[in-house]
Amino acid sequence: MSDRIELKRAKKLKGRIVPPPDKSISHRAIMLAAIAKGKSIVKNFLTAEDPLSTMNAFRKLGVEITEARSQKSEVRSKNLKLIIKGKGFYGLKEPFDVIDCGNSGTTVRLLSGILAGNPFFSVLTGDNSLKQRPMARVINPLKEMGAEISARDSDKYLPIAIKGRKLKAIDYTMPVASAQVKSCLMLAGLYADGTTTITEPQKSRDHTERMLKSMGADIDTDGLKVRVKGLGGPSGKELNPLDITVPGDFSSAAFFIIAALLVESSDVMIKNVGINPTRTGLLDVLRSMGGEIRLLNVRDVSGEPVADIHCKGASVLRAVNITQENIPALIDEFPILCIAAAKANGITTIRGAEELRVKESDRIKAMAEGLRKMGAEVEEFKDGLSIKGNARLKGAVIESYGDHRIAMAFSIAALVASGTTKINGISAVNISFPGFYKMLGRISG
Ligand code: S3P
């Protein structure tokens, strides 16, 4: 794929799409299956760069993972089925070399929790983006648990070196809501003596909790608190293997939800989308903006709520005011929400979103810059931005900064802009959504 694309205004979007499998759940499926005892089956695994980083990491740790195209799947598409031979809590082997986590924060942060409790030496690194992302948020609490762990620049950044050992349970209050930090500590908690308690400032995605519970872990959630009992110690207890089907990724579907709302005369059915309430804050926000979105065929798939989402264009959206409490449940939807805000009536303000500065790129800066280039009026704050709506967007040259969600958000903006929009760095979409442009081409005719 060339690393640049040129896109023009779309007249309408019509059709049925199936978004790619959920990235967060795909990562977790490999990790948890690897430390369970016995053979796990994971259907509809996401074959995109991020979860493949997790798969490669666990192969380096000695886990046998085999791939098979499933014949008959839930979503009737050619999706990948994995068979993972779980090694049990202490069956991973010392890697021969440094583990490269690529662009994936989820890989490095969750894996650190597992490695901290495994009795061998390992080193984790990543690409240039991941090397600049904060790791002290997992290193500090892991040290409190007794982990032997150090990293570049006074334990702040990758590479991280870990010498695994017996851990002790802690009671930890997280300064920022983060499912990656919470999950890291839950996984480390499985290797600790006693019960680890983690308290979040706001609720972040709870896929790890759901999966671990289904595997027989001793976990208890109470509002913003999660308690995890150590299993991988003298108790000799192990996790049961998984047999799951990964639902479609709401965060990938989000680009098409907003595209359908913004492009007049659109009518799009998005099939098989995970609607876990810790992920779907965008739906509430879009509805309060006046968006017409219907959830159909709501069902349970492997312990996660799933639905088909029907969206129609030509709704006139109203501006909204987003504050810190709204952020965790729409954290990954910020870039595409900014595009909806630019077309809504009134001024949208998003605050309390400092976390967006330390994602795959500085997403506040990247969105403010790109929207201004396309003609929108944007004010940037340390913790968010405000966007004047009803913008007459015009084609421009946009930088993705190697960030998949920035590339996809501006690709949708291009559909409601005059002229031609050129986006540089589109190979980044392969991080989470390899078929994005093909799907967009198909529904825009
Ligand atoms: C993720 C958690 C979120 C999210 C990321 C995936 C996960 O990150 O932004 O894309 O799978 O746990 P934080 O935990 O840093 O908020």
Side-chain angles (χ1 to χ4, degrees):
M1 172 158 74
S2 141
D3 209 21
R4 178 177 220 228
I5 199 163
E6 296 193 1
L7 296 158
K8 285 195 165 64
R9 188 187 284 284
K11 285 203 183 72
K12 61 178 180 201
L13 303 178
K14 270 209 159 42
R16 232 174 74 135
I17 57 171
V18 182
D22 190 277
K23 182 159 82 68
S24 290
I25 298 176
S26 294
H27 282 296
R28 286 159 171 79
I30 294 211
M31 295 189 186
L32 299 182
I35 58 166
K37 191 86 184 164
K39 192 174 94 175
S40 285
I41 298 175
V42 180
K43 289 170 228 144
N44 200 33
F45 175 79
L46 173 64
T47 42
E49 284 173 11
D50 259 15
L52 289 176
S53 289
T54 293
M55 185 151 95
N56 291 336
F58 278 86
R59 281 183 169 151
K60 285 196 166 172
L61 291 162
V63 180
E64 198 183 311
I65 305 173
T66 47
E67 305 168 23
R69 298 274 157 193
S70 81
Q71 298 299 313
K72 216 179 82 190
S73 82
E74 175 94 359
V75 292
R76 273 183 270 125
S77 68
K78 275 187 284 160
N79 60 28
L80 193 68
K81 174 168 142 189
L82 296 183
I83 296 166
I84 302 163
K85 279 202 188 146
K87 297 279 206 174
F89 277 117
Y90 292 109
L92 300 178
K93 75 167 194 342
E94 182 170 84
F96 184 65
D97 204 345
V98 171
I99 294 178
D100 186 352
C101 301
N103 191 247
S104 176
T106 307
T107 307
V108 69
R109 294 200 179 114
L110 271 63
L111 182 53
S112 302
I114 294 175
L115 294 177
N118 269 280
F120 52 73
F121 175 72
S122 48
V123 179
L124 306 179
T125 193
D127 69 8
N128 283 339
S129 154
L130 199 57
K131 281 195 203 116
Q132 294 171 62
R133 296 183 63 190
M135 294 301 149
R137 54 182 61 196
V138 290
I139 294 174
N140 293 342
L142 284 175
K143 277 187 180 164
E144 271 187 48
M145 295 179 82
E148 236 183 284
I149 176 165
S150 48
R152 181 174 59 87
D153 194 2
S154 311
D155 298 342
K156 290 204 236 9
Y157 300 106
L158 292 179
I160 294 182
I162 301 171
K163 181 88 198 321
R165 49 177 291 176
K166 183 85 223 144
L167 301 175
K168 56 177 190 288
I170 55 167
D171 188 337
Y172 187 70
T173 301
M174 292 168 41
V176 285
S178 160
Q180 291 177 356
V181 176
K182 176 178 64 175
S183 302
C184 165
L185 300 180
M186 287 169 71
L187 292 169
L190 292 173
Y191 287 90
D193 268 339
T195 298
T196 298
T197 306
I198 307 149
T199 310
E200 300 193 88
Q202 282 115 31
K203 183 94 176 156
S204 64
R205 65 193 66 188
D206 65 357
H207 307 301
T208 312
E209 291 90 314
R210 287 172 186 250
M211 286 167 89
L212 278 176
K213 258 182 213 163
S214 80
M215 299 169 87
D218 200 337
I219 287 202
D220 153 52
T221 43
D222 173 13
L224 298 173
K225 264 192 202 318
V226 189
R227 288 185 202 87
V228 184
K229 197 163 163 201
L231 296 180
S235 76
K237 245 184 113 175
E238 296 277 2
L239 293 175
N240 302 320
L242 276 171
D243 184 351
I244 65 161
T245 300
V246 180
D249 198 323
F250 180 83
S251 299
S252 298
F255 296 100
F256 288 94
I257 295 175
I258 288 185
L261 293 179
L262 296 184
V263 177
E264 247 180 84
S265 323
S266 291
D267 189 335
V268 178
M269 178 67 93
I270 311 172
K271 303 283 287 178
N272 192 47
V273 189
I275 52 158
N276 179 318
T278 60
R279 296 284 298 279
T280 53
L282 181 77
L283 285 184
D284 306 326
V285 168
L286 288 174
R287 284 184 174 137
S288 75
M289 292 173 85
E292 209 184 301
I293 305 168
R294 282 195 308 147
L295 298 187
L296 305 162
N297 193 15
V298 178
R299 58 210 186 264
D300 177 280
V301 176
S302 306
E304 290 279 348
V306 171
D308 302 329
I309 302 182
H310 184 217
C311 308
K312 278 188 160 183
S315 341
V316 180
L317 299 179
R318 296 182 291 273
V320 275
N321 191 18
I322 309 256
T323 54
Q324 196 180 16
E325 308 81 73
N326 308 121
I327 300 293
L330 54 73
I331 186 83
D332 291 339
E333 285 60 73
F334 167 83
I336 189 62
L337 177 59
C338 289
I339 305 301
K343 297 303 291 177
N345 275 330
I347 296 177
T348 291
T349 305
I350 306 175
R351 301 299 297 254
E354 293 91 337
E355 274 297 293
L356 273 317
R357 295 228 181 252
V358 291
K359 291 291 176 190
E360 288 84 327
S361 69
D362 177 342
R363 287 185 172 159
I364 296 176
K365 177 170 163 273
M367 289 312 298
E369 179 193 289
L371 279 170
R372 282 190 190 124
K373 280 190 183 171
M374 294 185 82
E377 269 182 56
V378 181
E379 191 182 348
E380 194 179 326
F381 311 113
K382 212 172 105 224
D383 65 339
L385 38 66
S386 74
I387 301 166
K388 192 165 170 207
N390 279 327
R392 298 179 71 168
L393 297 179
K394 58 178 197 302
V397 179
I398 302 291
E399 298 302 325
S400 77
Y401 292 102
D403 184 330
H404 52 137
R405 299 199 201 280
I406 299 297
M408 291 188 275
F410 282 107
S411 300
I412 301 304
L415 307 181
V416 288
S418 61
T420 305
T421 303
K422 297 175 184 163
I423 301 168
N424 290 326
I426 57 154
S427 57
V429 305
N430 292 328
I431 300 286
S432 64
F433 199 157
F436 176 76
Y437 287 107
K438 210 168 150 198
M439 209 175 265
L440 192 57
R442 186 164 64 72
I443 62 161
S444 62

